[in-house]
Amino acid sequence: MKKRNIDEYEHFRPEIQPIILVSHISENFKSLEVLKDNDLYVYQGQVIAIIGPSGSGKSTLLRCINQLETVKSGDIYYKNKCITQGTVKINDVRKRIGMVFQHFNLFPHLTVLENITLAPTHLKKIPKEQANALAETLLTRVRLLDKRDVYPSMLSGGQKQRVAIARAFSMEPDVILFDEPTSALDPEMVGEVLNVIKDLAKTGITMIIVTHEMGFAREVATKVVFMDEGCIIAKDTPQKMFDKPENERIKSFLAKVL
Amino acid sequence: MDSIIHMWNQYNSLFIKGSLTTLVLSLISVVTAMLLGSILAFMKLSSYAPLRWVSNVYVEFIRGTPLMVQIALVFYGLPYLGINIPPITLFGMDFARLLSGVLALTINSSAYVCEIVRGGILSIGKGQMEAARSLGFDKTSSMILVVMPQAIKNILPSLGNEFISLIKNSSQVSVIGIAELMYTSDTIRGISFKPFEPLVIISVIYFIMTFIISLGVKVIEKKMAKST
Protein backbone atom coordinates (compact mmCIF):
# COMPACT_ATOMS: atom_id res chain seq x y z
CA MET A 1 0.00 0.00 0.00
CA LYS A 2 1.29 3.43 -0.92
CA LYS A 3 2.39 5.22 2.22
CA ARG A 4 0.46 8.36 2.87
CA ASN A 5 2.00 11.37 4.55
CA ILE A 6 -1.27 12.81 5.78
CA ASP A 7 -1.88 12.40 9.47
CA GLU A 8 -5.28 11.17 10.41
CA TYR A 9 -6.15 13.89 12.87
CA GLU A 10 -9.81 14.39 13.42
CA HIS A 11 -9.70 18.10 13.90
CA PHE A 12 -9.44 20.63 11.15
CA ARG A 13 -5.93 21.58 10.03
CA PRO A 14 -6.20 24.97 8.36
CA GLU A 15 -2.92 24.68 6.44
CA ILE A 16 -4.22 21.73 4.47
CA GLN A 17 -7.46 22.43 2.69
CA PRO A 18 -9.91 19.55 2.84
CA ILE A 19 -11.24 18.50 -0.49
CA ILE A 20 -14.65 17.88 1.01
CA LEU A 21 -15.94 19.54 4.15
CA VAL A 22 -19.25 18.54 5.61
CA SER A 23 -20.40 20.97 8.26
CA HIS A 24 -23.27 20.44 10.70
CA ILE A 25 -25.57 18.86 8.20
CA SER A 26 -29.01 17.64 9.11
CA GLU A 27 -31.53 16.03 6.83
CA ASN A 28 -35.12 14.89 7.20
CA PHE A 29 -37.31 12.46 5.30
CA LYS A 30 -40.81 13.67 6.15
CA SER A 31 -40.78 13.66 9.95
CA LEU A 32 -37.82 11.35 10.39
CA GLU A 33 -34.52 13.02 11.17
CA VAL A 34 -32.12 11.04 9.06
CA LEU A 35 -28.98 13.05 9.69
CA LYS A 36 -28.29 14.96 12.87
CA ASP A 37 -25.63 17.64 12.88
CA ASN A 38 -22.71 15.86 11.25
CA ASP A 39 -19.20 17.09 10.50
CA LEU A 40 -16.72 15.39 8.24
CA TYR A 41 -13.40 16.55 6.84
CA VAL A 42 -11.98 14.67 3.88
CA TYR A 43 -8.46 15.36 2.69
CA GLN A 44 -7.11 14.65 -0.75
CA GLY A 45 -5.82 11.12 -1.11
CA GLN A 46 -7.76 9.73 1.84
CA VAL A 47 -9.91 6.65 1.61
CA ILE A 48 -12.80 7.08 4.03
CA ALA A 49 -14.91 4.05 4.89
CA ILE A 50 -18.33 4.78 6.38
CA ILE A 51 -19.73 1.87 8.35
CA GLY A 52 -22.68 1.34 10.64
CA PRO A 53 -26.05 -0.38 11.00
CA SER A 54 -28.77 -0.09 8.34
CA GLY A 55 -30.74 3.10 8.53
CA SER A 56 -27.93 4.99 10.21
CA GLY A 57 -27.85 7.57 7.44
CA LYS A 58 -24.60 6.45 5.78
CA SER A 59 -25.94 6.51 2.23
CA THR A 60 -27.84 9.73 2.88
CA LEU A 61 -24.66 11.42 4.06
CA LEU A 62 -22.81 10.21 0.98
CA ARG A 63 -25.56 11.33 -1.37
CA CYS A 64 -25.60 14.77 0.24
CA ILE A 65 -22.01 15.23 -0.85
CA ASN A 66 -22.95 15.23 -4.53
CA GLN A 67 -26.35 16.73 -3.77
CA LEU A 68 -28.46 13.78 -4.88
CA GLU A 69 -30.04 14.51 -1.51
CA THR A 70 -30.33 18.09 -0.33
CA VAL A 71 -29.65 18.98 3.28
CA LYS A 72 -32.16 20.62 5.57
CA SER A 73 -29.48 22.57 7.39
CA GLY A 74 -25.72 22.82 7.35
CA ASP A 75 -23.25 23.24 4.51
CA ILE A 76 -21.06 21.14 2.31
CA TYR A 77 -17.90 22.52 0.76
CA TYR A 78 -15.98 21.17 -2.19
CA LYS A 79 -12.50 22.68 -2.39
CA ASN A 80 -13.64 25.64 -0.33
CA LYS A 81 -16.67 26.33 -2.50
CA CYS A 82 -20.01 25.94 -0.77
CA ILE A 83 -22.28 23.69 -2.80
CA THR A 84 -25.37 23.78 -0.60
CA GLN A 85 -26.25 27.47 -0.97
CA GLY A 86 -27.14 27.23 -4.63
CA THR A 87 -24.46 29.67 -5.75
CA VAL A 88 -22.28 27.05 -7.39
CA LYS A 89 -23.44 25.13 -10.47
CA ILE A 90 -23.92 21.65 -9.09
CA ASN A 91 -23.48 20.07 -12.52
CA ASP A 92 -19.92 21.37 -12.69
CA VAL A 93 -19.16 20.04 -9.21
CA ARG A 94 -20.60 16.65 -10.12
CA LYS A 95 -18.13 16.39 -12.99
CA ARG A 96 -15.38 16.43 -10.36
CA ILE A 97 -17.10 13.94 -8.04
CA GLY A 98 -17.82 10.47 -9.39
CA MET A 99 -20.32 8.00 -7.95
CA VAL A 100 -20.72 4.23 -7.96
CA PHE A 101 -24.19 2.96 -7.03
CA GLN A 102 -25.32 -0.14 -5.20
CA HIS A 103 -27.46 -1.18 -8.17
CA PHE A 104 -24.89 -0.22 -10.83
CA ASN A 105 -27.29 1.98 -12.90
CA LEU A 106 -25.51 1.26 -16.16
CA PHE A 107 -27.23 2.64 -19.26
CA PRO A 108 -28.78 -0.45 -20.89
CA HIS A 109 -29.25 1.10 -24.32
CA LEU A 110 -25.51 1.75 -24.71
CA THR A 111 -22.58 -0.65 -25.01
CA VAL A 112 -20.01 -0.89 -22.24
CA LEU A 113 -17.66 1.42 -24.15
CA GLU A 114 -20.43 3.91 -24.88
CA ASN A 115 -21.42 3.94 -21.22
CA ILE A 116 -17.94 5.17 -20.39
CA THR A 117 -17.47 7.58 -23.30
CA LEU A 118 -20.89 9.24 -23.00
CA ALA A 119 -19.89 11.83 -20.39
CA PRO A 120 -16.45 12.80 -21.76
CA THR A 121 -17.72 13.20 -25.34
CA HIS A 122 -20.77 15.26 -24.41
CA LEU A 123 -19.55 17.21 -21.39
CA LYS A 124 -15.87 17.69 -22.16
CA LYS A 125 -16.28 17.67 -25.93
CA ILE A 126 -13.42 15.24 -26.26
CA PRO A 127 -13.12 13.77 -29.78
CA LYS A 128 -14.39 10.23 -30.16
CA GLU A 129 -11.02 8.52 -30.73
CA GLN A 130 -9.55 10.11 -27.64
CA ALA A 131 -12.57 9.20 -25.53
CA ASN A 132 -12.46 5.63 -26.81
CA ALA A 133 -8.78 5.38 -25.91
CA LEU A 134 -9.50 6.70 -22.41
CA ALA A 135 -12.36 4.25 -22.02
CA GLU A 136 -10.19 1.35 -23.15
CA THR A 137 -7.55 2.29 -20.59
CA LEU A 138 -10.18 2.33 -17.86
CA LEU A 139 -11.63 -0.98 -19.02
CA THR A 140 -8.17 -2.52 -18.96
CA ARG A 141 -7.75 -1.34 -15.39
CA VAL A 142 -10.99 -3.05 -14.34
CA ARG A 143 -10.02 -6.08 -16.47
CA LEU A 144 -12.97 -5.92 -18.85
CA LEU A 145 -11.47 -4.73 -22.14
CA ASP A 146 -12.84 -7.78 -23.96
CA LYS A 147 -16.41 -6.64 -23.10
CA ARG A 148 -16.12 -3.21 -24.70
CA ASP A 149 -18.83 -3.76 -27.33
CA VAL A 150 -21.19 -5.80 -25.18
CA TYR A 151 -24.48 -4.49 -23.78
CA PRO A 152 -24.85 -4.36 -19.98
CA SER A 153 -27.65 -6.93 -19.95
CA MET A 154 -25.11 -9.57 -21.01
CA LEU A 155 -22.83 -8.95 -18.01
CA SER A 156 -22.79 -10.49 -14.56
CA GLY A 157 -23.34 -8.31 -11.51
CA GLY A 158 -19.65 -8.12 -10.70
CA GLN A 159 -18.82 -7.17 -14.28
CA LYS A 160 -21.55 -4.52 -14.31
CA GLN A 161 -20.18 -2.94 -11.17
CA ARG A 162 -16.65 -2.92 -12.56
CA VAL A 163 -17.94 -1.15 -15.67
CA ALA A 164 -19.77 1.28 -13.38
CA ILE A 165 -16.49 1.97 -11.60
CA ALA A 166 -14.76 2.60 -14.93
CA ARG A 167 -17.60 4.93 -15.88
CA ALA A 168 -17.23 6.87 -12.63
CA PHE A 169 -13.60 7.47 -13.55
CA SER A 170 -14.43 8.60 -17.09
CA MET A 171 -14.59 12.27 -16.15
CA GLU A 172 -11.27 12.00 -14.25
CA PRO A 173 -12.79 13.22 -10.97
CA ASP A 174 -11.01 14.25 -7.79
CA VAL A 175 -13.27 12.25 -5.51
CA ILE A 176 -15.23 9.04 -6.00
CA LEU A 177 -18.21 8.13 -3.84
CA PHE A 178 -19.12 4.46 -3.46
CA ASP A 179 -22.61 3.71 -2.13
CA GLU A 180 -22.46 0.10 -0.87
CA PRO A 181 -20.77 -1.07 -4.07
CA THR A 182 -20.91 -4.77 -3.24
CA SER A 183 -24.18 -5.04 -1.32
CA ALA A 184 -26.19 -6.13 -4.36
CA LEU A 185 -23.67 -8.70 -5.57
CA ASP A 186 -23.61 -12.45 -5.18
CA PRO A 187 -20.87 -13.41 -2.71
CA GLU A 188 -18.56 -14.93 -5.31
CA MET A 189 -18.46 -11.63 -7.23
CA VAL A 190 -17.77 -9.38 -4.25
CA GLY A 191 -14.06 -10.19 -4.30
CA GLU A 192 -13.42 -9.13 -7.90
CA VAL A 193 -15.06 -5.74 -7.30
CA LEU A 194 -13.25 -5.16 -4.01
CA ASN A 195 -9.93 -5.99 -5.69
CA VAL A 196 -10.61 -3.39 -8.36
CA ILE A 197 -11.39 -0.79 -5.70
CA LYS A 198 -8.23 -1.73 -3.79
CA ASP A 199 -6.14 -1.26 -6.94
CA LEU A 200 -7.72 2.11 -7.60
CA ALA A 201 -7.11 3.21 -4.02
CA LYS A 202 -3.39 2.75 -4.69
CA THR A 203 -3.51 5.48 -7.36
CA GLY A 204 -4.02 8.06 -4.62
CA ILE A 205 -7.50 9.18 -5.60
CA THR A 206 -9.79 10.38 -2.82
CA MET A 207 -12.53 7.86 -2.05
CA ILE A 208 -15.49 7.77 0.29
CA ILE A 209 -16.96 4.28 0.56
CA VAL A 210 -20.12 3.25 2.39
CA THR A 211 -19.68 -0.45 2.97
CA HIS A 212 -20.58 -3.47 5.05
CA GLU A 213 -17.34 -5.26 4.13
CA MET A 214 -15.34 -4.80 7.33
CA GLY A 215 -12.27 -6.70 6.19
CA PHE A 216 -12.11 -4.57 3.08
CA ALA A 217 -12.55 -1.38 5.12
CA ARG A 218 -9.78 -2.35 7.46
CA GLU A 219 -7.42 -3.11 4.58
CA VAL A 220 -8.08 -0.14 2.32
CA ALA A 221 -9.32 2.75 4.45
CA THR A 222 -7.11 5.46 5.88
CA LYS A 223 -9.98 6.54 8.12
CA VAL A 224 -13.12 4.76 9.25
CA VAL A 225 -16.29 6.66 10.19
CA PHE A 226 -18.94 4.93 12.26
CA MET A 227 -22.53 6.16 12.02
CA ASP A 228 -25.58 5.23 14.00
CA GLU A 229 -29.10 6.72 14.00
CA GLY A 230 -28.14 9.69 11.87
CA CYS A 231 -25.02 10.69 13.77
CA ILE A 232 -21.33 10.19 13.24
CA ILE A 233 -20.29 8.45 16.44
CA ALA A 234 -16.58 8.02 15.81
CA LYS A 235 -13.83 8.68 13.29
CA ASP A 236 -10.66 6.64 13.67
CA THR A 237 -7.93 4.78 11.89
CA PRO A 238 -9.00 1.27 10.92
CA GLN A 239 -6.64 -0.25 13.45
CA LYS A 240 -8.15 1.75 16.29
CA MET A 241 -11.76 1.34 15.12
CA PHE A 242 -11.67 -2.39 14.62
CA ASP A 243 -9.11 -3.54 17.16
CA LYS A 244 -9.73 -1.18 20.06
CA PRO A 245 -13.24 0.23 19.74
CA GLU A 246 -14.08 2.48 22.64
CA ASN A 247 -17.79 3.07 22.18
CA GLU A 248 -20.28 0.44 23.30
CA ARG A 249 -22.45 0.87 20.22
CA ILE A 250 -19.44 0.30 17.96
CA LYS A 251 -18.41 -2.72 19.98
CA SER A 252 -21.81 -4.38 19.73
CA PHE A 253 -22.09 -3.57 16.00
CA LEU A 254 -18.68 -5.04 15.25
CA ALA A 255 -19.43 -8.09 17.38
CA LYS A 256 -22.42 -8.79 15.14
CA VAL A 257 -20.69 -8.31 11.80
CA LEU A 258 -17.17 -9.57 12.34
CA MET B 1 -73.51 -12.76 -48.80
CA ASP B 2 -74.38 -12.17 -52.47
CA SER B 3 -75.95 -8.85 -51.69
CA ILE B 4 -72.78 -7.76 -49.90
CA ILE B 5 -70.59 -8.62 -52.87
CA HIS B 6 -73.07 -6.94 -55.18
CA MET B 7 -72.95 -3.81 -53.02
CA TRP B 8 -69.16 -3.78 -53.09
CA ASN B 9 -69.11 -4.10 -56.88
CA GLN B 10 -71.56 -1.27 -57.20
CA TYR B 11 -70.16 1.24 -54.71
CA ASN B 12 -66.49 0.30 -54.20
CA SER B 13 -65.21 3.68 -55.37
CA LEU B 14 -67.21 5.38 -52.62
CA PHE B 15 -65.96 2.98 -49.97
CA ILE B 16 -62.37 3.47 -51.08
CA LYS B 17 -62.73 7.24 -51.01
CA GLY B 18 -64.21 7.04 -47.51
CA SER B 19 -61.38 4.78 -46.35
CA LEU B 20 -58.76 7.18 -47.65
CA THR B 21 -60.45 10.06 -45.84
CA THR B 22 -60.47 8.04 -42.64
CA LEU B 23 -56.80 7.17 -43.00
CA VAL B 24 -55.70 10.71 -43.81
CA LEU B 25 -57.76 12.16 -40.95
CA SER B 26 -56.35 9.62 -38.51
CA LEU B 27 -52.77 10.04 -39.68
CA ILE B 28 -52.78 13.83 -39.40
CA SER B 29 -54.51 13.63 -36.02
CA VAL B 30 -52.15 11.04 -34.57
CA VAL B 31 -49.06 13.03 -35.55
CA THR B 32 -50.37 16.28 -34.05
CA ALA B 33 -51.66 14.37 -31.01
CA MET B 34 -48.19 12.90 -30.45
CA LEU B 35 -46.65 16.37 -30.50
CA LEU B 36 -49.25 17.90 -28.25
CA GLY B 37 -49.36 14.86 -25.97
CA SER B 38 -45.58 14.88 -25.50
CA ILE B 39 -45.64 18.57 -24.60
CA LEU B 40 -48.41 17.87 -22.08
CA ALA B 41 -46.42 14.96 -20.63
CA PHE B 42 -43.38 17.13 -20.00
CA MET B 43 -45.63 19.80 -18.52
CA LYS B 44 -47.04 17.21 -16.14
CA LEU B 45 -43.54 16.12 -15.14
CA SER B 46 -42.29 19.66 -14.72
CA SER B 47 -41.11 20.97 -11.36
CA TYR B 48 -43.03 24.17 -12.11
CA ALA B 49 -46.46 23.78 -10.49
CA PRO B 50 -48.60 25.94 -12.82
CA LEU B 51 -47.51 23.87 -15.82
CA ARG B 52 -48.42 20.67 -13.98
CA TRP B 53 -51.77 22.11 -13.02
CA VAL B 54 -52.73 23.14 -16.56
CA SER B 55 -51.76 19.77 -17.95
CA ASN B 56 -53.63 17.90 -15.22
CA VAL B 57 -56.86 19.85 -15.73
CA TYR B 58 -56.69 19.40 -19.49
CA VAL B 59 -56.07 15.65 -19.34
CA GLU B 60 -58.74 15.01 -16.71
CA PHE B 61 -61.37 17.00 -18.59
CA ILE B 62 -60.65 15.45 -21.99
CA ARG B 63 -60.60 11.94 -20.60
CA GLY B 64 -63.78 12.60 -18.67
CA THR B 65 -65.98 13.78 -21.54
CA PRO B 66 -67.22 11.82 -24.55
CA LEU B 67 -65.43 12.27 -27.87
CA MET B 68 -68.66 12.95 -29.70
CA VAL B 69 -69.41 15.83 -27.34
CA GLN B 70 -65.91 17.18 -27.89
CA ILE B 71 -66.36 17.00 -31.66
CA ALA B 72 -69.57 18.99 -31.45
CA LEU B 73 -67.98 21.44 -29.00
CA VAL B 74 -65.16 22.17 -31.41
CA PHE B 75 -67.38 22.42 -34.46
CA TYR B 76 -69.97 24.74 -32.91
CA GLY B 77 -67.48 26.41 -30.62
CA LEU B 78 -65.04 27.83 -33.14
CA PRO B 79 -67.44 30.55 -34.36
CA TYR B 80 -68.13 31.46 -30.70
CA LEU B 81 -64.43 32.06 -30.19
CA GLY B 82 -64.51 34.36 -33.16
CA ILE B 83 -62.74 31.94 -35.40
CA ASN B 84 -64.72 31.94 -38.59
CA ILE B 85 -63.34 29.64 -41.18
CA PRO B 86 -64.04 30.63 -44.79
CA PRO B 87 -66.27 28.16 -46.59
CA ILE B 88 -63.56 26.74 -48.82
CA THR B 89 -63.62 23.18 -50.09
CA LEU B 90 -60.73 20.80 -49.67
CA PHE B 91 -60.86 17.44 -51.45
CA GLY B 92 -64.55 17.97 -52.02
CA MET B 93 -65.26 18.58 -48.33
CA ASP B 94 -65.95 21.68 -46.30
CA PHE B 95 -62.69 22.86 -44.75
CA ALA B 96 -64.34 24.04 -41.54
CA ARG B 97 -65.69 20.55 -40.88
CA LEU B 98 -62.40 18.89 -41.74
CA LEU B 99 -60.50 21.23 -39.44
CA SER B 100 -62.98 20.69 -36.60
CA GLY B 101 -62.73 16.95 -37.03
CA VAL B 102 -58.92 16.88 -36.99
CA LEU B 103 -58.81 19.34 -34.09
CA ALA B 104 -61.26 17.35 -31.97
CA LEU B 105 -59.49 14.05 -32.66
CA THR B 106 -56.13 15.65 -31.88
CA ILE B 107 -57.31 17.17 -28.63
CA ASN B 108 -58.90 13.92 -27.52
CA SER B 109 -55.98 11.69 -28.44
CA SER B 110 -53.39 14.05 -26.98
CA ALA B 111 -54.72 13.45 -23.48
CA TYR B 112 -54.14 9.72 -23.83
CA VAL B 113 -50.78 10.21 -25.51
CA CYS B 114 -49.77 12.40 -22.57
CA GLU B 115 -50.41 9.54 -20.16
CA ILE B 116 -48.62 7.06 -22.42
CA VAL B 117 -45.50 9.24 -22.69
CA ARG B 118 -45.53 10.14 -19.00
CA GLY B 119 -45.95 6.51 -17.99
CA GLY B 120 -43.12 5.47 -20.28
CA ILE B 121 -40.77 8.05 -18.77
CA LEU B 122 -41.72 7.21 -15.18
CA SER B 123 -41.19 3.51 -15.82
CA ILE B 124 -37.48 4.23 -16.16
CA GLY B 125 -36.12 3.87 -12.62
CA LYS B 126 -34.76 6.98 -10.96
CA GLY B 127 -31.33 5.34 -10.73
CA GLN B 128 -30.83 6.08 -14.43
CA MET B 129 -31.43 9.77 -13.91
CA GLU B 130 -29.20 9.74 -10.82
CA ALA B 131 -26.37 8.03 -12.68
CA ALA B 132 -26.55 10.59 -15.48
CA ARG B 133 -26.74 13.53 -13.06
CA SER B 134 -23.83 12.16 -11.00
CA LEU B 135 -21.66 12.31 -14.12
CA GLY B 136 -22.47 16.01 -14.44
CA PHE B 137 -25.31 16.03 -17.00
CA ASP B 138 -28.11 18.52 -16.44
CA LYS B 139 -31.76 17.42 -16.32
CA THR B 140 -32.43 18.03 -20.02
CA SER B 141 -29.36 16.20 -21.28
CA SER B 142 -30.06 13.31 -18.92
CA MET B 143 -33.57 13.09 -20.36
CA ILE B 144 -32.43 13.18 -23.96
CA LEU B 145 -29.38 10.92 -23.70
CA VAL B 146 -30.40 8.41 -21.06
CA VAL B 147 -34.10 8.37 -20.13
CA MET B 148 -35.92 8.98 -23.43
CA PRO B 149 -34.04 6.33 -25.49
CA GLN B 150 -35.15 3.78 -22.92
CA ALA B 151 -38.66 5.19 -22.46
CA ILE B 152 -39.38 5.09 -26.20
CA LYS B 153 -39.18 1.31 -26.12
CA ASN B 154 -42.19 1.29 -23.81
CA ILE B 155 -43.97 4.20 -25.43
CA LEU B 156 -43.97 3.13 -29.09
CA PRO B 157 -46.17 0.02 -28.79
CA SER B 158 -48.69 1.96 -26.72
CA LEU B 159 -48.66 4.75 -29.29
CA GLY B 160 -49.44 2.19 -31.96
CA ASN B 161 -52.47 1.09 -29.97
CA GLU B 162 -53.52 4.72 -29.63
CA PHE B 163 -53.37 5.06 -33.41
CA ILE B 164 -55.69 2.08 -33.68
CA SER B 165 -58.08 3.71 -31.22
CA LEU B 166 -57.95 6.88 -33.23
CA ILE B 167 -58.93 5.13 -36.44
CA LYS B 168 -61.95 3.66 -34.71
CA ASN B 169 -62.80 6.99 -33.07
CA SER B 170 -62.58 8.79 -36.39
CA SER B 171 -65.91 7.19 -37.25
CA GLN B 172 -67.52 9.67 -34.87
CA VAL B 173 -66.62 12.73 -36.93
CA SER B 174 -69.27 11.54 -39.35
CA VAL B 175 -71.76 13.44 -37.19
CA ILE B 176 -70.41 16.78 -38.41
CA GLY B 177 -70.65 15.71 -42.02
CA ILE B 178 -67.12 14.66 -42.87
CA ALA B 179 -67.30 12.06 -45.62
CA GLU B 180 -65.15 9.41 -44.00
CA LEU B 181 -65.95 5.70 -43.92
CA MET B 182 -68.89 5.72 -41.48
CA TYR B 183 -70.52 8.63 -43.27
CA THR B 184 -70.07 6.77 -46.54
CA SER B 185 -71.91 3.80 -45.09
CA ASP B 186 -74.83 6.05 -44.09
CA THR B 187 -74.86 7.65 -47.54
CA ILE B 188 -75.01 4.30 -49.30
CA ARG B 189 -77.80 3.19 -46.99
CA GLY B 190 -79.70 6.27 -48.11
CA ILE B 191 -79.13 5.53 -51.78
CA SER B 192 -79.73 1.79 -51.75
CA PHE B 193 -82.19 1.41 -48.85
CA LYS B 194 -80.00 -1.42 -47.58
CA PRO B 195 -78.72 -0.64 -44.07
CA PHE B 196 -76.94 -3.87 -43.26
CA GLU B 197 -74.61 -4.55 -46.19
CA PRO B 198 -72.66 -1.26 -46.04
CA LEU B 199 -72.08 -1.76 -42.32
CA VAL B 200 -70.63 -5.21 -42.91
CA ILE B 201 -68.33 -3.85 -45.58
CA ILE B 202 -67.01 -0.96 -43.47
CA SER B 203 -66.53 -3.31 -40.50
CA VAL B 204 -64.26 -5.45 -42.63
CA ILE B 205 -62.39 -2.37 -43.89
CA TYR B 206 -61.91 -0.98 -40.36
CA PHE B 207 -60.71 -4.37 -39.21
CA ILE B 208 -58.18 -4.65 -42.03
CA MET B 209 -56.81 -1.19 -41.20
CA THR B 210 -56.45 -1.84 -37.47
CA PHE B 211 -55.12 -5.35 -37.98
CA ILE B 212 -52.34 -4.16 -40.30
CA ILE B 213 -51.33 -1.54 -37.74
CA SER B 214 -51.33 -4.05 -34.90
CA LEU B 215 -49.03 -6.26 -36.96
CA GLY B 216 -46.79 -3.25 -37.44
CA VAL B 217 -46.79 -2.67 -33.67
CA LYS B 218 -45.71 -6.28 -33.10
CA VAL B 219 -42.86 -5.88 -35.58
CA ILE B 220 -41.71 -2.71 -33.80
CA GLU B 221 -41.93 -4.45 -30.42
CA LYS B 222 -39.74 -7.28 -31.69
CA LYS B 223 -37.18 -4.83 -33.09
CA MET B 224 -37.03 -2.93 -29.79
CA ALA B 225 -36.59 -6.11 -27.80
CA LYS B 226 -33.67 -7.13 -30.01
CA SER B 227 -31.65 -3.99 -29.38
CA THR B 228 -31.57 -4.42 -25.58
Side-chain angles (χ1 to χ4, degrees):
Chain A
M1 266 267 293
K2 188 170 153 186
K3 192 164 181 234
R4 289 196 169 75
N5 54 9
I6 303 168
D7 297 81
E8 304 311 324
Y9 292 132
E10 272 176 34
H11 33 272
F12 186 44
R13 288 176 61 186
E15 67 272 22
I16 300 180
Q17 185 197 86
I19 195 160
I20 300 240
L21 201 169
V22 174
S23 168
H24 298 298
I25 63 167
S26 302
E27 161 70 326
N28 283 10
F29 282 148
K30 300 186 182 158
S31 55
L32 181 67
E33 219 188 347
V34 183
L35 290 177
K36 300 166 192 163
D37 195 20
N38 293 298
D39 292 333
L40 183 66
Y41 311 121
V42 181
Y43 296 92
Q44 191 146 358
Q46 284 188 321
V47 175
I48 315 269
I50 306 181
I51 63 171
S54 297
S56 54
K58 314 188 292 293
S59 288
T60 311
L61 179 66
L62 194 77
R63 288 159 63 90
C64 286
I65 294 176
N66 69 352
Q67 291 288 285
L68 285 181
E69 313 277 353
T70 49
V71 298
K72 188 187 76 166
S73 64
D75 288 311
I76 298 179
Y77 297 82
Y78 168 72
K79 285 188 176 169
N80 254 0
K81 281 176 274 191
C82 182
I83 61 176
T84 38
Q85 300 290 1
T87 46
V88 168
K89 280 197 175 153
I90 190 63
N91 294 325
D92 293 330
V93 173
R94 285 189 183 138
K95 290 169 193 161
R96 316 293 322 142
I97 303 178
M99 189 159 196
V100 177
F101 298 85
Q102 183 176 349
H103 296 287
F104 332 127
N105 290 333
L106 291 181
F107 305 133
H109 59 298
L110 301 174
T111 61
V112 160
L113 195 79
E114 286 164 352
N115 260 271
I116 302 173
T117 58
L118 185 75
T121 45
H122 282 91
L123 295 172
K124 280 187 178 174
K125 309 285 188 216
I126 293 177
K128 211 163 181 216
E129 308 77 40
Q130 201 180 328
N132 285 348
L134 167 72
E136 283 173 2
T137 315
L138 292 170
L139 280 174
T140 314
R141 253 202 270 168
V142 302
R143 299 169 215 142
L144 281 172
L145 186 60
D146 55 326
K147 302 282 182 192
R148 73 195 277 288
D149 295 316
V150 165
Y151 282 94
S153 58
M154 309 293 287
L155 301 174
S156 73
Q159 292 169 328
K160 282 183 193 161
Q161 193 63 299
R162 287 189 275 154
V163 172
I165 294 172
R167 183 180 66 178
F169 274 85
S170 66
M171 292 292 281
E172 294 168 312
D174 303 315
V175 183
I176 303 226
L177 310 174
F178 292 83
D179 190 359
E180 301 201 36
T182 56
S183 295
L185 294 175
D186 290 339
E188 65 266 22
M189 293 188 231
V190 168
E192 74 193 45
V193 173
L194 291 181
N195 285 334
V196 162
I197 301 179
K198 280 182 213 172
D199 285 342
L200 293 169
K202 291 179 194 157
T203 64
I205 191 162
T206 315
M207 292 181 172
I208 309 176
I209 311 176
V210 172
T211 185
H212 289 293
E213 299 286 333
M214 300 302 152
F216 166 72
R218 184 204 238 118
E219 200 186 324
V220 139
T222 49
K223 184 153 91 177
V224 178
V225 170
F226 180 85
M227 284 187 76
D228 193 13
E229 290 179 3
C231 294
I232 294 179
I233 308 290
K235 303 169 208 170
D236 266 321
T237 60
Q239 290 70 37
K240 196 140 179 284
M241 177 75 73
F242 291 115
D243 298 335
K244 296 180 220 126
E246 284 165 355
N247 191 294
E248 278 311 311
R249 271 195 271 185
I250 304 178
K251 273 190 201 163
S252 65
F253 172 74
L254 289 175
K256 280 186 229 160
V257 299
L258 282 173
Chain B
M1 189 61 197
D2 282 337
S3 57
I4 296 172
I5 299 173
H6 178 74
M7 170 146 298
W8 171 256
N9 290 332
Q10 202 173 354
Y11 296 111
N12 56 30
S13 60
L14 281 175
F15 282 120
I16 289 170
K17 195 157 181 261
S19 309
L20 281 172
T21 310
T22 291
L23 278 172
V24 169
L25 269 178
S26 306
L27 207 59
I28 298 174
S29 302
V30 83
V31 168
T32 43
M34 281 202 277
L35 285 166
L36 182 58
S38 302
I39 294 172
L40 286 162
F42 285 110
M43 281 170 70
K44 235 189 178 189
L45 291 167
S46 155
S47 40
Y48 190 49
L51 282 179
R52 285 203 307 269
W53 189 82
V54 167
S55 178
N56 268 317
V57 167
Y58 177 95
V59 169
E60 287 308 310
F61 179 75
I62 300 296
R63 295 206 308 177
T65 47
L67 172 62
M68 200 170 280
V69 171
Q70 292 166 15
I71 292 170
L73 269 173
V74 171
F75 181 62
Y76 296 112
L78 285 180
Y80 266 92
L81 292 171
I83 307 171
N84 286 305
I85 300 164
I88 48 176
T89 348
L90 199 66
F91 309 117
M93 284 176 271
D94 180 26
F95 184 62
R97 289 167 204 268
L98 279 176
L99 188 69
S100 303
V102 169
L103 204 60
L105 287 172
T106 299
I107 290 172
N108 181 270
S109 196
S110 66
Y112 296 94
V113 169
C114 168
E115 291 303 286
I116 290 170
V117 170
R118 193 179 72 101
I121 291 175
L122 289 176
S123 72
I124 306 300
K126 71 168 186 170
Q128 288 294 303
M129 191 60 158
E130 285 185 349
R133 302 293 323 260
S134 73
L135 286 165
F137 286 107
D138 61 12
K139 261 194 207 162
T140 312
S141 305
S142 304
M143 258 301 168
I144 296 173
L145 294 170
V146 171
V147 177
M148 288 310 292
Q150 298 179 57
I152 285 187
K153 292 195 177 127
N154 300 328
I155 291 172
L156 268 184
S158 300
L159 277 184
N161 290 331
E162 181 58 29
F163 186 29
I164 290 174
S165 287
L166 214 149
I167 289 180
K168 293 188 289 179
N169 283 337
S170 70
S171 59
Q172 296 184 47
V173 302
S174 56
V175 303
I176 55 170
I178 298 177
E180 44 68 69
L181 199 52
M182 182 67 202
Y183 188 87
T184 307
S185 162
D186 286 346
T187 307
I188 292 172
R189 180 188 66 209
I191 307 170
S192 65
F193 299 104
K194 292 195 171 103
F196 184 65
E197 287 83 346
L199 287 169
V200 172
I201 292 174
I202 67 166
S203 299
V204 171
I205 296 176
Y206 274 120
F207 177 72
I208 292 172
M209 284 196 249
T210 55
F211 188 66
I212 290 174
I213 295 167
S214 67
L215 286 178
V217 168
K218 289 202 180 99
V219 166
I220 294 176
E221 274 177 333
K222 275 209 186 114
K223 261 194 174 174
M224 300 264 131
K226 253 194 210 164
S227 66
T228 14

